């Protein structure tokens, strides 16, 4: 401010043909401050150059020499120290552990999912027989084949059913009508006898 | 094409798990659960949302395991599968969010038990990073988050983002530069920059 006015006054004096005032004495810049200011371009470029390296540095991916250079800079530079600390905190925070309850939930997932697998009727021969019988039945009907073919295909099953029915009747007769049992058969074995025939 | 050995082991594991072997499925969860959960966390707004999203990811994984052919590592393949689920989820909930979620609340709860001052400094640091990332383009921010914060491999990041590896690398260079500069600027903008710096000096 003082300099500004003295210059202004000086100019006016020149304009008026008078001798200029001597310049006001300036306080010298403290040496420490001067060197700090001089270092600004260097620091800024350096920090900016290192900015993209801190993440790999934190991950331990840099070559030892370079890692050392960064560590040394970090020790002397508050700005970069703060940046690295923030990045490190975010890194640590990102390492979310898998909650135990979720782990158990995930383990049970397969039980809840119907797997895209072999159709159920191929898994078991019994299912296969039933399904093929039904197919045959439908196919014959649809093709308009004589009923005897259908009947013939159903014959073994029908025969078995009849036999079972007869056996059941026989058993009921034995138990309900109290038909005397043959003497050679012990009473306990009576239940099984009709089934065996 | 010849497959690397690792992928063969992955293929074996995937086949066993797909065949319904409980042991293999458990191993798969132990190996990849944490990282897939961490990625899901980024796209969710709360811990419970992240858990549900992770379950969806694993459900999809289980249903598709029989399609895995071992051409990429299983983790990269799983990330590729999870990508759409995460993005869909993010879009569904975008209207209600301001920025990507960092698990700040969960963590500050943990830290609060120790030293309240350290906990608040920690919280500030996380908020700084979160703000810096939120201000950046999503492309760059996501690359930095997946690689540098969550520690995914380059190949895995590429699979998740569905871009070539070279793109991941160039995004990372720019993203790292930008995130550090933004953090530094935010630190300078807040009057507490100096305090934070000294706190770190003491802590570190």
């Amino acid at each position: 401010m003082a300099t500004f006015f003295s210059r202004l006054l000086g100019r006016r004096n020149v304009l008026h043909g008078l001798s200029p005032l001597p310049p006001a004495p300036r306080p010298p810049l403290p040496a420490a401050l001067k060197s700090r200011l001089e270092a600004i371009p260097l620091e800024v470029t350096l920090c900016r150059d290192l900015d993209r390296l801190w993440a790999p540095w934190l991950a331990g991916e840099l070559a030892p020499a370079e890692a050392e250079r960064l560590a040394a800079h970090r020790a002397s530079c508050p700005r970069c120290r703060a940046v690295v600390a923030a990045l490190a905190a975010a890194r640590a925070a990102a390492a979310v552990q898998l909650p135990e309850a979720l782990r158990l939930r995930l383990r049970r997932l397969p039980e809840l999912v119907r797997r895209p697998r072999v159709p159920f009727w191929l898994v078991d021969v019994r299912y296969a027989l039933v399904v093929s019988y039904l197919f045959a039945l439908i196919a014959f009907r649809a093709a308009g084949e004589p009923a005897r073919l259908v009947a013939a295909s159903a014959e073994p099953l029908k025969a078995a059913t009849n036999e079972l029915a007869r056996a059941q009747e026989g058993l009921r007769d034995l138990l309900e009508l109290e038909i005397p049992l043959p003497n050679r058969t012990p009473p306990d074995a009576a239940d099984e006898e009709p089934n065996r025939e | 094409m010849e497959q690397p050995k690792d992928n063969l082991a992955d293929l074996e594991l995937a086949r066993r798990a797909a065949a319904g072997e409980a042991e293999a499925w458990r191993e798969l969860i132990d190996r990849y659960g944490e990282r897939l959960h961490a990625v899901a966390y980024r796209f969710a707004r709360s811990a419970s949302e992240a858990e549900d999203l992770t379950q969806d990811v694993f459900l999809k994984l289980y249903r598709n395991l029989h399609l895995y052919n071992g051409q990429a590592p299983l983790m990269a393949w799983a990330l590729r599968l999870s990508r759409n689920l995460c993005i869909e989820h993010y879009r569904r909930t975008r209207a209600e969010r301001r920025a990507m979620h960092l698990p700040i609340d969960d963590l500050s709860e943990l830290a609060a038990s120790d030293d309240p001052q350290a906990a608040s400094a920690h919280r500030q640091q996380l908020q700084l990073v979160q703000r810096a990332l939120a201000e950046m383009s999503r492309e760059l921010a996501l690359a930095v988050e997946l690689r540098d914060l969550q520690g995914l491999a380059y190949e895995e990041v590429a699979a998740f983002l569905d871009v070539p590896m070279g793109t991941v690398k160039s995004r990372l260079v720019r993203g790292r530069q930008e995130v550090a500069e933004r953090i530094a600027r935010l630190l300078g903008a807040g009057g507490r920059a100096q305090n934070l710096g000294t706190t770190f000096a003491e802590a570190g």
Side-chain angles (χ1 to χ4, degrees):
Chain A
M1 205 61 125
T3 334
F4 176 68
F5 276 118
S6 70
R7 274 201 191 143
L8 203 65
L9 285 173
R11 189 169 294 173
R12 257 179 70 187
N13 289 346
V14 169
L15 284 175
H16 286 90
L18 299 170
S19 64
L21 290 174
R26 244 175 281 181
L29 200 59
L33 177 61
K34 196 177 168 213
S35 66
R36 259 170 70 191
L37 297 182
E38 277 169 2
I40 283 179
L42 187 69
E43 286 262 326
V44 168
T45 0
L46 186 59
C47 291
R48 285 184 54 99
D49 283 350
L50 299 185
D51 271 346
R52 70 196 158 78
L53 294 175
W54 290 118
W57 182 77
L58 278 171
E61 287 166 2
L62 296 181
E66 190 161 33
E68 245 170 66
R69 187 167 72 92
L70 272 122
H73 174 78
R74 176 176 167 273
S76 69
C77 174
R79 177 230 184 240
C80 288
R81 196 155 54 236
V83 168
V84 174
L87 282 175
R91 236 175 101 83
V96 192
Q97 287 209 326
L98 193 63
E100 213 42 44
L102 176 59
R103 191 188 299 272
L104 295 178
R105 247 167 86 192
L106 295 180
R107 279 186 187 172
R108 282 197 305 269
L109 273 186
E111 298 163 24
L112 309 175
V113 182
R114 192 177 59 82
R115 289 192 208 112
R117 285 301 186 84
V118 206
F120 75 94
W121 47 271
L122 280 185
V123 171
D124 198 308
V125 183
R126 283 170 301 178
Y127 288 127
L129 286 175
V130 169
V131 168
S132 55
Y133 176 69
L134 287 175
F135 264 123
L137 213 58
I138 290 163
F140 279 128
R141 286 255 162 91
E145 280 285 318
R148 68 176 171 78
L149 272 179
V150 177
S153 73
E155 200 117 348
L157 187 63
K158 208 180 269 176
T161 317
N162 286 344
E163 206 167 311
L164 187 63
R166 266 204 308 278
Q168 276 174 338
E169 263 168 40
L171 180 61
R172 204 168 49 229
D173 289 348
L174 280 177
L175 292 177
E176 285 180 1
L177 305 177
E178 293 175 342
I179 293 171
L181 296 167
N183 284 336
R184 57 190 164 84
T185 324
D188 290 350
D191 289 0
E192 293 169 20
E193 196 66 19
N195 284 334
R196 230 185 269 156
E197 284 167 6
Chain B
M1 203 173 82
E2 203 179 327
Q3 290 165 354
K5 258 187 184 167
D6 282 359
N7 293 358
L8 281 182
D10 283 357
L11 193 60
E12 166 77 16
L13 181 67
R15 283 199 179 139
R16 278 168 48 213
E21 209 180 292
E23 186 70 27
W25 179 245
R26 270 206 297 276
E27 192 183 336
L28 219 130
I29 293 166
D30 290 344
R31 267 208 223 166
Y32 307 124
E34 209 157 286
R35 279 181 287 169
L36 288 173
H37 176 238
V39 171
Y41 220 116
R42 282 288 178 269
F43 293 86
R45 291 163 302 169
S46 67
S48 70
E49 221 178 79
E51 292 197 9
D52 290 344
L53 188 52
T54 309
Q55 174 161 341
D56 289 348
V57 167
F58 268 87
L59 204 60
K60 192 171 178 184
L61 185 64
Y62 186 73
R63 289 198 168 121
N64 287 283
L65 263 181
H66 64 286
L67 298 175
Y68 175 66
N69 58 10
Q71 272 183 3
L74 189 51
M75 178 63 191
W77 184 80
L79 276 164
R80 202 184 290 277
L81 273 188
S82 75
R83 168 194 159 80
N84 285 341
L85 283 176
C86 287
I87 290 175
E88 264 167 38
H89 180 87
Y90 180 80
R91 289 205 179 125
R92 259 204 318 276
T93 57
R94 180 161 49 187
E96 305 155 46
R97 84 177 61 230
R98 289 176 299 117
M100 282 216 273
H101 176 70
L102 275 178
I104 287 176
D105 295 326
D106 323 358
L107 249 118
S108 62
E109 273 167 31
L110 290 178
S113 56
D114 298 358
D115 175 12
Q117 216 173 354
S120 100
H122 185 76
R123 201 189 166 85
Q124 276 179 16
Q125 288 174 328
L126 292 184
Q127 278 169 346
L128 265 180
V129 178
Q130 189 176 22
R131 267 184 67 191
L133 287 168
E135 287 171 1
M136 291 164 56
S137 84
R138 268 191 58 72
E139 275 185 352
L140 300 187
L142 201 50
V144 169
E145 287 199 32
L146 295 175
R147 169 73 194 139
D148 292 337
L149 302 188
Q150 297 187 12
L152 295 186
Y154 286 102
E155 187 177 8
E156 292 165 0
V157 179
F160 186 82
L161 298 181
D162 201 19
V163 295
M165 284 256 263
T167 310
V168 171
K169 285 179 182 166
S170 74
R171 279 185 194 175
L172 269 176
V173 170
R174 284 187 290 149
R176 283 166 176 169
Q177 185 76 34
E178 206 175 311
V179 78
E181 277 175 21
R182 283 183 189 278
I183 291 170
R185 206 173 305 151
L186 289 169
L187 277 166
R192 283 184 295 256
Q194 210 56 40
N195 296 339
L196 278 172
T198 51
T199 313
F200 300 152
E202 284 155 16

